């Protein structure tokens, strides 16, 4: 087979190839090929295997670009299935309040949190938001993320939510990272509807969701199902309407209290239930039974100083599909780095490194319904890959050490020696 890109001299090739979603003990199987190589053509992988078989399997020519991995480790591009990149302004003073002892709920009750960002985002133009999304995608790309879900949710009115989704689309067109847009109009009840929340739910049901669906602006719809935000009953109505308008479903569930969000996600056939810090045993079983991905966000719990993390080990043992995400946002998701999320997941949540890698690649792709396209290094899939600075996969969880040397997206180099570069043709 012909190739326009070959990566050879790979010390450790972690393909993460195999069954999807990865469950239970199989989550540790990341398909390591020692002394490996791979080849791609037209942005797709055409061959993956031991380098000793490369010459017999792959035809190269003058136009073939050959990358020497110099014995380094190679693994799939990371997939981040939960981010909030479409926002304006910052919440730096609130972060300082949190460092001084204030809780997330206390800050929100005082008028901060999500609604604070809503004010700034409503004032921002579509162009300003698109530039902000692209800049944040750049940060993620430098950390090895090649696919990202991006939510709206800081508009909380029809015009502003549509503007946010349009800005996400604009940013995606001009950026190498594959972007999956999610409508999150049900992120919070805006201040002007606090005394008449049912009117806001009706606005979501009768105006926002139908218009988002009509314009085809979102692949998924999400809702923040939480005490003091949207109840299970309200969330069921909102997500059911979104499904009726062609959107797939995901949920913020059981982050600050056990509300039954995980059970609802399973009931509705949602692709993912996210956060899950207070998920119940019955919720874990429901997710496993429905093959609904349990997406945990270690970085958010860390920065919010919640004092506990999602029970990742118990979720794995319950055979729920587990994924990792960064939760990049202005208040509690301050790091764009999935390797940082992996470090917390390994050292504070009980995951093995291999489990964290599978959760940030193949299972994360499954949560976005992209597992047939990406998330592992297999022939036919997109040539999205990360080359580390050494052969040690453990470099991924050495916080403060830039583990990523090169990033290839759709067969093109987009990060080289840890620096963003314009897509370099194969």
């Amino acid at each position: 087979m012909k190739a326009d890109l070959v990566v050879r001299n790979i010390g450790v090739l972690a393909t993460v190839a195999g069954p999807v979603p990865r469950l239970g003990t199989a989550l540790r199987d990341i398909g390591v090929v020692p002394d490996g190589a791979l080849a791609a053509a037209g942005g797709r992988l055409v061959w993956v295997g031991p380098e000793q078989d490369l010459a017999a399997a792959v035809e190269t020519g003058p136009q073939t670009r050959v990358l020497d991995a110099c014995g380094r480790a190679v693994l799939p591009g990371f997939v981040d299935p939960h981010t909030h990149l479409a926002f304006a302004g910052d919440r730096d003073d609130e972060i300082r309040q949190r460092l001084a002892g204030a809780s997330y709920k206390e800050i929100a009750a005082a008028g901060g949190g999500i609604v604070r960002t809503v004010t700034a985002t409503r004032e921002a133009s579509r162009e300003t938001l698109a530039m902000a999304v692209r800049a944040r995608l750049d940060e993620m790309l430098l950390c090895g993320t090649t696919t990202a879900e991006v939510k709206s949710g800081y508009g909380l009115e029809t015009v502003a939510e549509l503007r946010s989704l349009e800005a996400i689309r604009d940013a995606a067109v001009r950026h190498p990272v594959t972007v999956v847009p999610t409508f999150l109009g049900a992120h919070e009840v805006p201040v002007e509807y606090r005394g008449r929340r049912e009117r806001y739910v009706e606005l979501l049901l009768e105006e926002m969701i139908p218009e988002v669906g009509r314009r085809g602006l979102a692949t998924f719809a999400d809702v923040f199902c939480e005490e003091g935000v949207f109840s299970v009953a309200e969330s069921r109505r909102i997500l059911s309407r979104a499904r009726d308008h062609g959107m797939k479903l995901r949920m913020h569930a059981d982050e600050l209290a056990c509300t039954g969000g995980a059970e609802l996600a399973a009931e509705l056939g949602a692709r993912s239930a996210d956060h899950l810090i207070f998920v119940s045993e019955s919720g874990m079983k429901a997710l496993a039974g429905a093959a609904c991905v349990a997406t945990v966000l270690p970085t958010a719990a860390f920065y919010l100083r919640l004092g506990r993390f999602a029970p990742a080990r118990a979720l794995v043992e319950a055979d729920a599909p587990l994924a990792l995400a960064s939760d990049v946002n202005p208040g509690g998701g301050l790091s764009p780095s999935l390797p940082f999320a992996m470090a917390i997941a390994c050292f504070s949540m009980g995951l093995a490194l291999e489990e964290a890698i599978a959760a940030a690649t193949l299972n994360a792709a499954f949560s976005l319904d992209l597992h047939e396209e990406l998330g592992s290094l297999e022939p036919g899939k997109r040539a999205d890959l990360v080359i580390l600075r050494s052969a040690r996969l453990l470099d991924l969880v050495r916080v403060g050490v830039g583990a990523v040397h090169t990033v290839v997206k759709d067969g093109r180099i987009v990060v080289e020696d840890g620096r963003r570069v314009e897509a370099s043709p194969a």
Side-chain angles (χ1 to χ4, degrees):
M1 59 195 76
K2 295 182 179 180
D4 54 32
L5 173 69
V6 168
V7 183
R8 57 170 297 275
N9 194 17
I10 300 171
V12 175
L13 176 57
T15 66
V16 201
V20 58
R22 218 48 130 247
L23 302 175
T25 57
L27 193 64
R28 294 178 183 243
D29 181 7
I30 57 171
V32 171
V33 179
D35 302 318
L38 57 81
R44 298 272 175 174
L45 294 166
V46 295
W47 182 85
V48 180
E51 181 160 1
Q52 64 184 15
D53 300 334
L54 174 65
V58 176
E59 179 183 342
T60 61
Q63 302 304 312
T64 303
R65 180 159 189 172
V66 179
L67 291 182
D68 185 349
C70 300
R72 300 182 177 103
V74 172
L75 61 163
F78 302 133
V79 180
D80 194 334
H82 184 127
T83 79
H84 301 261
L85 305 186
F87 67 87
D90 62 58
R91 303 216 294 264
D92 291 359
D93 57 336
E94 295 179 9
I95 295 166
R96 292 188 176 92
Q97 291 175 39
R98 193 179 307 132
L99 293 174
S103 71
Y104 177 89
K105 288 185 177 180
E106 289 169 343
I107 291 170
I114 292 169
V115 296
R116 165 85 172 274
T117 300
V118 167
T119 300
T121 303
R122 285 178 175 179
E123 294 173 353
S125 69
R126 173 173 164 178
E127 294 75 17
T128 297
L129 286 174
M131 287 177 60
V133 172
R134 283 196 296 272
R136 291 163 189 144
L137 288 171
D138 275 346
E139 293 180 337
M140 297 170 70
L141 187 62
L142 289 170
C143 299
T145 296
T146 53
T147 299
E149 183 259 18
V150 181
K151 305 178 193 294
S152 66
Y154 293 115
L156 305 189
E157 62 182 13
T158 303
V159 171
E161 282 294 310
L162 293 173
R163 185 190 307 128
S164 293
L165 288 167
E166 289 168 344
I168 293 167
R169 182 178 61 190
D170 293 346
V173 168
R174 298 178 58 187
H175 203 280
V177 170
T178 297
V179 171
V180 179
T182 292
F183 170 63
L184 183 56
H187 198 188
E188 175 63 281
V189 177
V191 172
E192 63 268 28
Y193 284 92
R194 288 290 169 87
R196 49 197 181 109
R197 60 181 297 116
E198 178 58 26
R199 291 286 298 275
Y200 186 67
V201 173
E202 289 297 325
L203 180 67
L204 287 163
L205 297 177
E206 303 303 328
E207 183 173 302
M208 285 198 211
I209 289 171
E211 188 61 16
V212 171
R214 186 184 72 80
R215 298 193 189 192
L217 289 172
T219 304
F220 285 91
D222 194 346
V223 61
F224 192 3
C225 181
E226 188 60 67
E227 283 186 352
V229 191
F230 292 95
S231 69
V232 167
E234 290 168 334
S235 298
R236 182 182 288 107
R237 292 168 63 197
I238 293 164
L239 290 173
S240 295
R241 182 61 60 90
R243 183 173 55 198
D244 291 344
H245 284 273
M247 286 171 258
K248 303 172 190 178
L249 310 181
R250 50 203 318 109
M251 283 182 63
H252 287 58
D254 301 325
E255 179 184 7
L256 305 175
C258 182
T259 62
E263 289 89 338
L264 178 63
E267 171 196 324
L268 294 178
R271 197 69 190 212
S272 178
D274 301 7
H275 286 290
L276 302 174
I277 293 169
F278 289 89
V279 65
S280 66
E281 185 175 342
S282 64
M284 295 186 212
K285 292 179 180 177
L287 294 175
C292 177
V293 178
T295 300
V296 297
L297 296 86
T299 313
F302 173 81
Y303 282 118
L304 290 175
R305 304 183 73 183
L306 296 180
R308 61 188 287 174
F309 295 94
R313 183 81 262 139
L315 285 161
V316 172
E317 292 171 356
D319 280 339
L322 186 79
L324 287 177
S326 69
D327 195 22
V328 173
N329 72 74
L334 304 183
S335 173
S337 171
L338 276 176
F340 180 47
M342 290 182 208
I344 299 174
C346 290
F347 289 95
S348 295
M349 299 168 69
L351 292 189
L353 175 62
E354 293 78 9
E355 292 174 321
I357 290 171
T361 54
L362 187 59
N363 277 9
F366 180 74
S367 86
L368 297 175
D369 202 17
L370 289 175
H371 53 287
E372 294 184 356
E373 283 282 304
L374 46 87
S376 60
L377 300 177
E378 302 178 75
K381 289 193 174 183
R382 290 185 174 193
D384 296 356
L385 55 108
V386 173
I387 303 176
L388 301 186
R389 291 191 177 275
S390 79
R392 299 175 68 232
L393 293 174
L394 276 169
D395 279 354
L396 287 168
V397 295
R398 295 177 63 209
V399 176
V401 175
V404 175
H405 183 277
T406 299
V407 179
V408 175
K409 174 62 183 170
D410 291 327
R412 295 173 176 262
I413 297 171
V414 291
V415 172
E416 192 168 22
D417 198 17
R419 294 187 298 270
R420 176 81 166 87
V421 297
E422 290 304 312
S424 176

